[in-house]
Amino acid sequence: MTEQDFSVPLDAPKYYRPDPSYREQSWIGDYEEAYQRFIADPDGFWRERAAEIEWFEPFDRVMEWDFPYARWFLNGKLNITHNCLDRHVQKGRANKVALFWRGEQGEEKAYTYSQLLRNVSAFANALKRMGVKKGDRVCIYMPVVPEQVIAMLACARIGAVHSVVFGGFGVNALNQRIRDSGSKVVITSDVSMRRGKEIQLKPIVEEAVVNAPSVEAIIVHRRGTPMVELHSEIELDFYELLERESNYCEPESMDAEDPLFLLYTSGTTGSPKGIIHACGGYAVGTQYTTKYVLDVKEDDVYWCTADPGWITGHSYVVYGPLLNGATVFFTETTPDFPDHGIWWKLIRDYGVSIFYTAPTAIRMFMRVGEQWSDRYDLSSLRVLASVGEPLNPEAFEWFYHHIGKDRCPIVDTWWQTETGMHMITTMVGEPMRPGFAGKPIPGVVADVVDMDGRSVEAGNGGFLAIKRPWPSMLRTVYNDDERYRKYWTTLDSLYTATDLAVKGHDGNIMVIGRADDLIIVAGHNIGTAEVESALVSHEAVAEAAVIGVPDPVKGNQIKAFAILKDGYAGSDRLKSDLRYHVRMTVGPIAMPGEIEFVDSLPKTRSGKIVRRVLRAKELGMDPGDTSTLED
Ligand code: WT7
């Protein structure tokens, strides 16, 4: 990899500098100073962060590193929901709004901290009565509604391990996740709303629990009209359960290292990985980063557009903001319905001051033009943030000028499902360099390294690595510790992010993209293996390979190559059949944009498909070394 490979010139950096008042008033203050304080005493740094939440019993050590396993806040006892709810109710925020929610049809709901505590408690009591115990897994498959957040927090209240599955996944994807986690209960809604239409979720759940013997009950949050009927004995109504319970539930005292949740992320081969996060470290990491990276203050109205079904939603819609006692706005509304002005209207109507979204959304708004955002007064905005994929300089500049009005800092946060919290960014108040995510935050030691784990010189590219454990790091991969170990053994005892990056001369890091066969489409991480196995499960397909090709809005698009079985002819009809098949099995996010029927696929002698060659051919690039290919 050389400098010439990247569109951002490394030698002539261009910076945007926020008004000095941002730094003066931010929680972090001077970044360099804060970073040096961390380096001088890492344990002391994290001890201070851990003191920002409440513990039922104090921990006796900050961290113990037994490669590749770290334990944080040893023997400390806590409950994250005590910190998200009770603590605020006790300390003057009882009547502060915790959640503002807006539905697609314009319906609105608000929960104060005390109301949210009562709802979470009652639902936690209901789960308990059903026999859900500490350590049991509960699958949550819901749209973006307050009940989704209540379900998550209720699990955490009693120590059950939630496994939230994004409501846009299809039958196979859900079935696989229910089975791998051994979920005892599945919580769902009858429908999700999408651009004015009801999308039925319950039939997907009904199919997905076949061959999932661990499931004892399905709880249905009924919101559609007419109200769906509950058929079998194992189906229960969300509100009937909640309403007959008392509205206080004692929080379970959890060890810092007890699992809080598992969340599946795509793997490069085979099945998705159930990433496990631990109670103590996750609470400290998300409390810290929400406060210091997003700079959340008492009077902010905070909106992160992610679905709670992804890690961004776990950390920065639900846990992080509530740990900080913030007012969270969230919505089921897509950015283009009823028109492209809706999100800007919501910012104005709710007085949103911190707005956290994804490059794919920004590029979509850029394409439709600023006439939509120009219609609304966006002066409430104070901080903008981005996540999910590289924020290209054009999108940075559009966001900065048209939404932030050349005033709001943009915090481009690099992190992963596995890291649980932000790792690399430009902190509020620091000079921003478009195209570059920024520098490691205090608490994190990150670097760009070569294949042997050696630090590359400034101006060069390599692999993004993390050199020191951090509290909210994944603890293992559920049922597959070998896959966990690979994160730490691929690059000589460093944590590999499997991302390619460039180290700037100013210490800023530019993240380029994945170094493996994951494709990031509209900020969603999609495993080639999942899409390929969906394709070959169709009766017409013998073999399939998928690659990512650049897309101006989504970042990448999926292109599929398929070899048909004898007796099947490639037609447009079959293409749309295949797209529909992937939609139903994996979900709409994984649908190939393009399908090409081919007679053969490039393979290694051992039979592994070499997607790199397909990709090079598609983009008219040099395929590189093909000497190991079959023919
Ligand atoms: C991958 C992780 C946790 C955020 C949501 C996605 C890419 C994420 C950035 C960024 C460049 C980014 C990386 C990473 N990514 N944020 N700010 N700049 N790339 O979580 O599904 O676990 O995906 O998303 O490639 O490895 P995820």
Side-chain angles (χ1 to χ4, degrees):
M1 222 183 312
T2 61
E3 285 183 32
Q4 288 84 277
D5 293 341
F6 311 105
S7 58
V8 177
L10 286 163
D11 44 327
K14 176 177 176 188
Y15 297 100
Y16 285 86
R17 294 174 199 278
D19 190 84
S21 61
Y22 269 102
R23 185 192 279 183
E24 284 155 22
Q25 286 159 26
S26 71
W27 286 112
I28 189 75
D30 185 287
Y31 160 78
E32 294 294 343
E33 228 176 83
Y35 198 83
Q36 289 318 319
R37 273 205 310 277
F38 151 65
I39 289 295
D41 179 13
D43 277 6
F45 173 86
W46 284 116
R47 185 176 291 113
E48 273 175 35
R49 302 289 75 76
E52 296 192 53
I53 62 170
E54 288 180 1
W55 299 80
F56 295 148
E57 285 173 42
F59 51 90
D60 41 48
R61 271 185 73 186
V62 172
M63 200 256 290
E64 196 177 81
W65 182 222
D66 177 12
F67 179 87
Y69 304 101
R71 301 202 295 149
W72 284 83
F73 310 118
L74 282 82
N75 301 316
K77 304 278 183 279
L78 80 164
N79 186 292
I80 197 166
T81 72
H82 166 84
N83 283 284
C84 287
L85 302 170
D86 311 53
R87 173 167 69 130
H88 305 308
V89 169
Q90 289 154 14
K91 295 201 172 145
R93 293 185 180 125
N95 298 323
K96 178 176 179 177
V97 172
L99 299 178
F100 273 127
W101 176 82
R102 185 191 184 274
E104 257 214 339
Q105 309 301 308
E107 57 296 25
E108 296 177 304
K109 275 190 181 179
Y111 294 79
T112 63
Y113 271 94
S114 63
Q115 286 173 321
L116 188 58
L117 172 59
R118 288 199 292 269
N119 277 275
V120 168
S121 281
F123 195 65
N125 284 331
L127 290 174
K128 255 190 181 167
R129 189 187 297 272
M130 291 168 63
V132 177
K133 288 190 279 298
K134 178 174 172 177
D136 286 345
R137 276 81 58 218
V138 172
C139 174
I140 301 176
Y141 178 69
M142 298 175 93
V144 182
V145 287
E147 290 77 5
Q148 182 191 28
V149 178
I150 291 169
M152 290 168 73
L153 294 171
C155 288
R157 188 86 177 165
I158 63 173
V161 176
H162 57 69
S163 163
V164 183
V165 177
F166 171 59
F169 274 123
V171 173
N172 278 24
L174 178 59
N175 172 264
Q176 204 171 22
R177 286 158 175 77
I178 293 173
R179 282 174 35 180
D180 187 72
S181 61
S183 289
K184 197 168 179 175
V185 174
V186 179
I187 307 172
T188 190
S189 300
D190 52 354
V191 295
S192 115
M193 298 298 300
R194 206 80 187 156
R195 302 193 176 89
K197 279 195 261 170
E198 286 188 353
I199 295 174
Q200 302 292 325
L201 295 186
K202 191 163 167 283
I204 296 178
V205 175
E206 283 164 17
E207 254 192 87
V209 298
V210 176
N211 296 326
S214 61
V215 177
E216 292 173 8
I218 299 169
I219 301 176
V220 187
H221 158 236
R222 291 190 283 179
R223 60 194 298 241
T225 37
M227 198 183 246
V228 290
E229 279 184 40
L230 299 180
H231 298 299
S232 59
E233 278 151 34
I234 69 166
E235 295 179 357
L236 304 160
D237 179 82
F238 189 97
Y239 277 106
E240 266 170 38
L241 291 176
L242 186 150
E243 271 152 20
R244 62 170 190 234
E245 298 294 337
S246 95
N247 58 23
Y248 183 72
C249 171
E250 192 73 38
E252 187 76 30
S253 178
M254 305 295 286
D255 186 85
E257 281 298 313
D258 280 336
L260 172 63
F261 65 83
L262 64 92
L263 182 62
Y264 287 88
T265 187
S266 299
T268 35
T269 50
S271 53
K273 300 188 265 196
I275 302 297
I276 293 274
H277 281 289
C279 291
Y282 182 80
V284 172
T286 54
Q287 140 88 33
Y288 160 55
T289 47
T290 305
K291 177 170 171 181
Y292 292 86
V293 175
L294 298 167
D295 199 42
V296 173
K297 306 264 174 58
E298 193 62 45
D299 293 332
D300 278 311
V301 176
Y302 167 95
W303 179 15
C304 167
T305 63
D307 187 306
W310 304 108
I311 192 68
T312 307
H314 280 59
S315 299
Y316 300 110
V317 175
V318 182
Y319 288 111
L322 296 180
L323 282 165
N324 281 280
T327 292
V328 176
F329 171 74
F330 72 128
T331 177
E332 191 176 17
T333 311
T334 48
D336 56 356
F337 183 84
D339 61 42
H340 287 100
I342 182 69
W343 279 14
W344 316 122
K345 179 180 183 308
L346 293 175
I347 288 176
R348 182 200 63 188
D349 289 353
Y350 286 87
V352 171
S353 52
I354 302 180
F355 181 58
Y356 190 10
T357 192
T360 184
I362 299 167
R363 289 192 297 259
M364 185 204 74
F365 288 123
M366 220 172 126
R367 199 192 49 186
V368 299
E370 52 273 13
Q371 80 259 23
W372 293 101
S373 48
D374 283 352
R375 286 187 200 169
Y376 300 97
D377 174 8
L378 303 180
S379 60
S380 59
L381 288 172
R382 189 170 74 76
V383 175
L384 302 176
S386 170
V387 63
E389 58 184 312
L391 180 62
N392 50 303
E394 299 71 31
F396 177 101
E397 278 170 19
W398 187 87
F399 202 31
Y400 188 73
H401 296 312
H402 296 292
I403 306 305
K405 313 290 180 194
D406 293 346
R407 186 175 49 81
C408 304
I410 298 177
V411 194
D412 177 5
T413 59
W414 178 89
W415 58 294
Q416 309 178 295
T417 303
E418 293 88 336
T419 71
M421 68 174 201
H422 302 146
M423 303 295 278
I424 296 174
T425 193
T426 301
M427 311 278 303
V428 162
E430 295 301 312
M432 297 165 287
R433 186 172 180 190
F436 288 71
K439 300 178 183 174
I441 66 170
V444 171
V445 182
D447 199 359
V448 181
V449 301
D450 65 17
M451 240 136 67
D452 302 315
R454 281 185 306 247
S455 189
V456 303
E457 297 212 4
N460 288 291
F463 300 98
L464 189 51
I466 310 295
K467 296 190 152 172
R468 186 184 193 281
W470 63 101
S472 64
M473 63 189 247
L474 74 163
R475 295 305 192 266
T476 187
V477 174
Y478 194 63
N479 289 333
D480 202 347
D481 195 53
E482 206 35 57
R483 275 171 118 182
Y484 168 75
R485 298 180 68 89
K486 282 211 181 98
Y487 284 100
W488 291 93
T489 51
T490 307
L491 290 180
D492 189 33
S493 310
L494 306 176
Y495 170 85
T496 176
T498 332
D499 273 349
L500 298 170
V502 174
K503 197 193 294 189
H505 292 281
D506 56 1
N508 278 307
I509 293 173
M510 169 168 49
V511 182
I512 296 165
R514 300 288 308 177
D516 59 10
D517 285 331
L518 291 186
I519 308 173
I520 301 191
V521 182
H524 302 315
N525 208 327
I526 296 167
T528 45
E530 262 184 287
V531 185
E532 288 164 2
S533 63
L535 285 166
V536 297
S537 71
H538 188 280
E539 54 173 17
V541 179
E543 271 190 87
V546 307
I547 59 169
V549 292
D551 179 278
V553 174
K554 295 176 175 174
N556 289 291
Q557 245 221 64
I558 296 179
K559 167 149 190 192
F561 297 86
I563 304 177
L564 295 179
K565 286 186 188 155
D566 285 348
Y568 288 91
S571 63
D572 285 345
R573 172 71 209 278
L574 183 55
K575 283 184 187 172
S576 48
D577 257 20
L578 290 174
R579 282 162 48 86
Y580 183 73
H581 183 70
V582 174
R583 184 191 175 96
M584 295 316 285
T585 48
V586 191
I589 51 166
M591 260 201 318
E594 211 190 311
I595 297 177
E596 186 178 326
F597 299 117
V598 292
D599 296 326
S600 68
L601 289 167
K603 284 186 191 158
T604 60
R605 280 164 228 273
S606 59
K608 199 168 176 282
I609 295 169
V610 191
R611 297 182 191 83
R612 159 177 69 83
V613 173
L614 285 171
R615 208 163 170 271
K617 221 179 114 209
E618 187 68 26
L619 304 178
M621 289 170 3
D622 174 14
D625 179 19
T626 53
S627 59
T628 58
L629 296 195
E630 204 179 36
D631 64 324

